[in-house]
Amino acid sequence: MRKIRSGIYGLNPLLDGGVNENSTTVVIGRSGAGKTTLATQFIRRGLQEGQEGVFVSLDENKEQIIREAVEMGWSDILEYLDDELLVFIDASGREFSNFIRKELPAFVADWKGSNARIAIDPLTPVLWSTKDLYEQRDLIGYMFKQTRKVGTVLCTLEEHGQADLAGPETVIPMYLADCVIHLKFNSDGADPSRLLKIVKCRNSRHSQGAHAYEIVRGLGIVLEDVDGRKPTTSKAPSQLRQMLLTRSMPKNVRDHLEKSLDGLTDEDFRSLKPERVLEMILQEYQGV
Ligand SMILES: Nc1ncnc2c1ncn2[C@@H]1O[C@H](COP(=O)(O)OP(=O)(O)O)[C@@H](O)[C@H]1O
Ligand SMILES: [Mg+2]
């Protein structure tokens, strides 16, 4: 998997180097969590790399999004717009199923294989356009499949209700996405708290933790206390490798296990003890 830099300060190390190219990421959070900011930041990073950017807005209009970006200090996006490297698709107030089934494929046919970054902000009105869950799944699945042909996709999703990620509108997009990022935003009390958590990420190692973030003018979303240069130790995997040598097991199993341990770090093992893993491997292959 090729990785692309997310543009979100501190996020790449949490995703083993960045976002997988041609994948679909869903960013979920309440109003004010920073979803539009994150989406803009992601697109802008691609523009800096020479990738094209497509911003599909289903809620705010183009002018609002641009105004917010300029207020954030990102006025360079005006030049990208002038140069037509950044394109806006204003789908606010449209009939979404028609937009997704007819207009989107026409756009994709034009842009196919262009390695752009696509932001869809927010996905929520698409879900609300029909009560039928099968239709919702079909629409979202179709949209993901189409947009992926154009490049790397990032969608935002509004979170409602009290409990984390418990709302019915999050289930289908979370299931269909390759990568799910939760922006936990709590604005109760005097000091609002913001935490970023990677809920899942297909085909990539990723952090399991909740990471505090701030939104800073000029920078956008910045994660706190992420040390990307932290030396990675691999004590647990190398201990397990040593232990494997002393036990008998089928050769193909041993060869495969040894190969699997290449490149693993203590981070991958988390709290797993090598002795315990060995015990379970032996149980699996010898206890029959
Ligand atoms: N120009 C700015 N300078 C500093 N903070 C900003 C700026 N613009 C937005 N923010 C912060 O970002 C928050 C909203 O971000 P936004 O991306 O619009 O959230 P969402 O799309 O999740 O509703 C605001 O509540 C504010 O805290
Ligand atoms: Mg928004």
Side-chain angles (χ1 to χ4, degrees):
M1 279 283 166
R2 255 171 59 99
K3 294 280 185 181
I4 58 171
R5 304 273 175 95
S6 65
I8 317 311
Y9 293 103
L11 181 61
N12 299 329
L14 306 183
L15 285 170
D16 201 24
V19 176
N20 285 342
E21 200 168 54
N22 285 98
S23 67
T24 303
T25 299
V26 170
V27 177
I28 307 174
R30 287 175 215 291
S31 173
K35 299 180 298 298
T36 303
T37 306
L38 192 150
T40 312
Q41 212 169 335
F42 170 76
I43 290 278
R44 185 168 168 266
R45 185 69 183 88
L47 291 163
Q48 293 171 340
E49 294 279 316
Q51 290 180 282
E52 287 159 309
V54 182
F55 201 111
V56 185
S57 117
L58 285 88
D59 199 359
E60 296 173 271
N61 63 34
K62 178 179 168 181
E63 285 67 36
Q64 280 173 292
I65 307 240
I66 293 169
R67 194 179 330 119
E68 280 166 32
V70 171
E71 270 168 36
M72 184 54 90
W74 298 335
S75 52
D76 53 352
I77 71 155
L78 296 172
E79 289 157 39
Y80 293 119
L81 269 170
D82 274 349
D83 298 338
E84 290 177 2
L85 293 168
L86 172 60
V87 173
F88 265 89
I89 300 180
D90 189 347
S92 60
R94 301 270 198 99
E95 206 269 285
F96 294 115
S97 79
N98 192 53
F99 169 75
I100 291 171
R101 301 258 186 233
K102 303 234 163 70
E103 294 178 52
L104 191 64
F107 172 82
V108 167
D110 254 11
W111 279 65
K112 215 169 170 172
S114 60
N115 184 30
R117 292 193 189 195
I118 304 108
I120 302 168
D121 181 52
L123 209 51
T124 313
V126 177
L127 290 161
W128 288 355
S129 70
T130 170
K131 275 206 170 70
D132 183 344
L133 292 178
Y134 287 101
E135 174 69 3
Q136 284 186 6
R137 191 187 150 133
D138 227 41
L139 271 178
I140 303 286
Y142 184 74
M143 192 172 191
F144 284 2
K145 204 172 138 212
Q146 288 294 318
T147 46
R148 221 192 299 257
K149 292 179 187 166
V150 174
T152 310
V153 186
L154 186 142
C155 307
T156 70
L157 187 64
E158 284 164 10
E159 185 179 25
H160 306 100
Q162 288 309 304
D164 280 344
L165 304 179
E169 70 278 0
T170 57
V171 179
I172 292 169
M174 279 180 69
Y175 174 71
L176 293 174
D178 298 309
C179 184
V180 176
I181 297 176
H182 187 201
L183 298 179
K184 281 159 73 94
F185 174 46
N186 188 347
S187 55
D188 299 344
D191 214 6
S193 82
R194 299 176 192 272
L195 291 172
L196 178 149
K197 197 169 187 310
I198 299 160
V199 180
K200 78 164 186 187
C201 193
R202 288 182 188 139
N203 301 313
S204 178
R205 290 197 277 201
H206 64 85
S207 155
Q208 307 285 320
H211 303 271
Y213 68 94
E214 296 294 343
I215 303 176
V216 184
R217 208 190 101 84
L219 298 175
I221 293 184
V222 185
L223 287 150
E224 289 175 5
D225 296 328
V226 180
D227 190 356
R229 290 154 305 154
K230 196 173 69 186
T232 43
T233 51
S234 46
K235 253 173 79 187
S238 61
Q239 276 172 358
L240 180 56
R241 190 187 294 275
Q242 290 302 317
M243 290 176 198
L244 282 172
L245 289 174
T246 66
R247 301 308 185 93
S248 69
M249 62 186 70
K251 183 172 170 357
N252 61 338
V253 172
R254 182 200 305 281
D255 287 351
H256 189 84
L257 283 169
E258 279 194 37
K259 208 153 166 261
S260 314
L261 289 170
D262 285 346
L264 289 192
T265 66
D266 287 335
E267 177 107 321
D268 295 306
F269 271 62
R270 296 190 189 98
S271 59
L272 290 174
K273 298 268 167 292
E275 308 83 58
R276 177 84 188 107
V277 178
L278 177 72
E279 207 176 290
M280 287 185 286
I281 292 171
L282 294 175
Q283 267 173 17
E284 179 66 34
Y285 289 102
Q286 297 185 331
V288 207

